[in-house]
Amino acid sequence: MLILSIREVPMAADGFQFDFTPEVEAATAPAWEKVKRHITPMEWRAQAPLIAEINRLKREKDAVILAHNYMTPEIFHGVGDYVGDSLGLAKEAAKSNARIIVQAGVHFMAETSKILSPEKRVLIPDLQAGCSLASAITGADVRLIKQRYPGLPVVTYVNTTADVKAETDICCTSANAVQVVEEAARQWGVDRVILIPDEYLARNVARQTHIGIIAWKGRCEVHERFTAADILELKEAYPGAEVLAHPECPAEVLEVSDFAGSTAAMNDYVLTRKPKRVVLITECSMADNVAADAHDTEFVRPCNLCPHMKRISLENIYEALVKEQFEVTVDPAIAERARLAVQRMVDLPPPLVPARYDLVKARHHVDVELI
């Protein structure tokens, strides 16, 4: 892996020198304006030449970079062409005419991009960038679940592998999970739905709907670590701070929060409501990226890092582009079935109001059936 330091100025194979020249400074000035509150000038002088070269390579190779909300700011604001949550990125990839997609995120996201854009080359900078939720369940597990609960629709979170999506009736995101569960129940004419693999998302959805939920014991290793005691401690330490929680957190966390929603909903909340002080209860790079556009809001940053997201760096994005390496493929038969589940979700009409979790409902206990 290429490692840059301020003292070392290596020469790339194409003759590009990683030096902070006036040309590099000018080319990266818009990104610097975004990140200068979170990255020191010393760090930027090391990062900016690589950012400039990555952006040049994208033009040369007809490539786009999809940067998830959990990427670090120099990736998110410096080289990301499309930024957002996992499904939003995949949908943007499908619209793009680019020849190559580089997924600055984790492996299931790259698979989803490939499912929706089978004709494009999809690269991931590090093949080991996984996800605790995606590894919590397999396609074989889903087949056994369907045998145990015949006739019930399977709603699967997008944070899953292609073989799991292939066994699924319809996918969902944290932003539309309640809507998808209720629509699946209506279409299948049932009063119970299987919602996998995130146990906490399922428990939080159960508190928002009259539809019964059958859940799987998968958890996000970032969000499961937050506790209600953490939130109460933050509120005491930072009076007036508004606490925004992700629905992959335990239900007890949502009970004591001020807002709950997906990463996109959190972003919209901060930019439209403009709270004076806010806490985002999710992966900590999210706060840095939102803060770049919310200059009047103070961000308190409890930091649970996703070790998988943090495997993605400017250095390995550069190497992926130079060598066109680490291509993500999906068996066409699996991709075709998985695409149907994703497309069913995409085809749903958008909700009448922006998706959020009703925190009054969230305080009511509703049991799920845990498989």
Side-chain angles (χ1 to χ4, degrees):
M1 177 181 289
L2 174 67
I3 303 296
L4 295 179
S5 74
I6 295 167
R7 292 191 178 91
E8 293 182 56
V9 186
M11 187 76 72
D14 58 5
F16 177 80
Q17 190 173 8
F18 292 98
D19 201 2
F20 189 68
T21 64
E23 292 76 16
V24 165
E25 184 175 15
T28 59
W32 171 240
E33 281 301 309
K34 288 274 191 179
V35 305
K36 65 184 181 181
R37 295 169 184 82
H38 314 292
I39 296 175
T40 67
M42 180 178 67
E43 292 173 301
W44 186 251
R45 286 192 294 273
Q47 294 169 348
L50 194 50
I51 289 169
E53 177 63 358
I54 288 170
N55 287 330
R56 187 195 68 79
L57 281 168
K58 288 188 302 184
R59 296 188 294 272
E60 177 186 295
K61 291 177 175 280
D62 189 19
V64 294
I65 294 177
L66 312 183
H68 189 265
N69 287 322
Y70 295 161
M71 289 292 102
T72 51
E74 70 274 10
I75 295 173
F76 190 86
H77 295 292
V79 299
D81 296 292
Y82 303 110
V83 297
D85 62 17
S86 58
L87 185 69
L89 294 179
K91 289 165 71 174
E92 290 297 334
K95 296 176 188 176
S96 172
N97 293 321
R99 180 178 68 92
I100 295 174
I101 295 168
V102 180
Q103 190 82 44
V106 293
H107 198 272
F108 80 79
M109 297 177 186
E111 282 192 332
T112 306
S113 294
K114 185 65 177 179
I115 287 166
L116 291 179
S117 305
E119 74 288 356
K120 296 168 186 170
R121 293 195 73 195
V122 177
L123 310 178
I124 189 164
D126 189 326
L127 288 170
Q128 300 304 309
C131 170
S132 59
L133 273 176
S135 62
I137 194 166
T138 66
D141 293 325
V142 183
R143 288 191 290 273
L144 290 173
I145 292 169
K146 291 194 289 188
Q147 290 176 20
R148 182 172 173 180
Y149 300 96
L152 293 187
V154 177
V155 177
T156 295
Y157 199 22
V158 292
N159 298 35
T160 47
T161 59
D163 72 315
V164 169
K165 290 183 176 74
E167 301 296 336
T168 294
D169 293 301
I170 184 170
C171 286
C172 75
T173 69
S174 56
N176 65 12
V178 176
Q179 177 194 16
V180 172
V181 161
E182 293 181 345
E183 180 63 19
R186 186 191 68 80
Q187 287 191 23
W188 270 261
V190 295
D191 60 4
R192 290 194 304 166
V193 165
I194 299 160
L195 176 57
I196 54 177
D198 191 312
E199 175 190 351
Y200 290 140
L201 178 69
R203 290 187 184 278
N204 289 321
V205 169
R207 295 183 178 203
Q208 303 291 315
T209 180
H210 64 282
I211 304 300
I213 301 292
I214 298 165
W216 182 262
K217 198 172 182 178
R219 297 176 180 179
C220 168
E221 63 188 285
V222 171
H223 294 100
E224 71 172 337
R225 286 184 280 170
F226 292 106
T227 68
D230 293 334
I231 309 308
L232 295 174
E233 185 177 62
L234 282 165
K235 286 190 166 187
E236 183 176 356
Y238 300 94
E242 298 183 40
V243 177
L244 282 56
H246 194 281
E248 289 176 20
C249 293
E252 295 78 13
V253 169
L254 270 63
E255 290 175 14
V256 294
S257 297
D258 300 299
F259 175 88
S262 66
T263 56
M266 288 183 183
N267 184 74
D268 290 345
Y269 182 99
V270 174
L271 296 183
T272 57
R273 296 282 294 270
K274 300 180 179 177
K276 290 184 178 179
R277 178 182 277 177
V278 73
V279 188
L280 303 187
I281 305 301
T282 187
E283 213 276 351
C284 54
S285 287
M286 172 83 182
D288 291 336
N289 294 327
V290 178
D293 293 312
H295 300 161
D296 297 327
T297 296
E298 176 191 354
F299 286 77
V300 180
R301 290 175 169 85
C303 197
N304 282 348
L305 284 169
C306 173
H308 309 290
M309 289 286 186
K310 294 305 176 270
R311 297 187 75 96
I312 308 302
S313 66
L314 286 175
E315 289 83 4
N316 58 26
I317 290 173
Y318 169 79
E319 290 183 340
L321 275 169
V322 168
K323 301 174 184 176
E324 297 191 19
Q325 67 182 4
F326 304 143
E327 183 172 2
V328 174
T329 60
V330 180
D331 179 279
I334 291 175
E336 183 177 356
R337 294 164 59 209
R339 192 177 305 117
L340 177 61
V342 176
Q343 195 62 48
R344 279 176 174 159
M345 175 185 65
V346 171
D347 289 342
L348 288 178
L352 296 177
V353 294
R356 60 180 293 175
Y357 286 72
D358 185 326
L359 293 182
V360 174
K361 291 181 180 179
R363 292 177 176 89
H364 296 285
H365 181 73
V366 179
D367 278 328
V368 301
E369 182 179 343
L370 198 59
I371 303 170

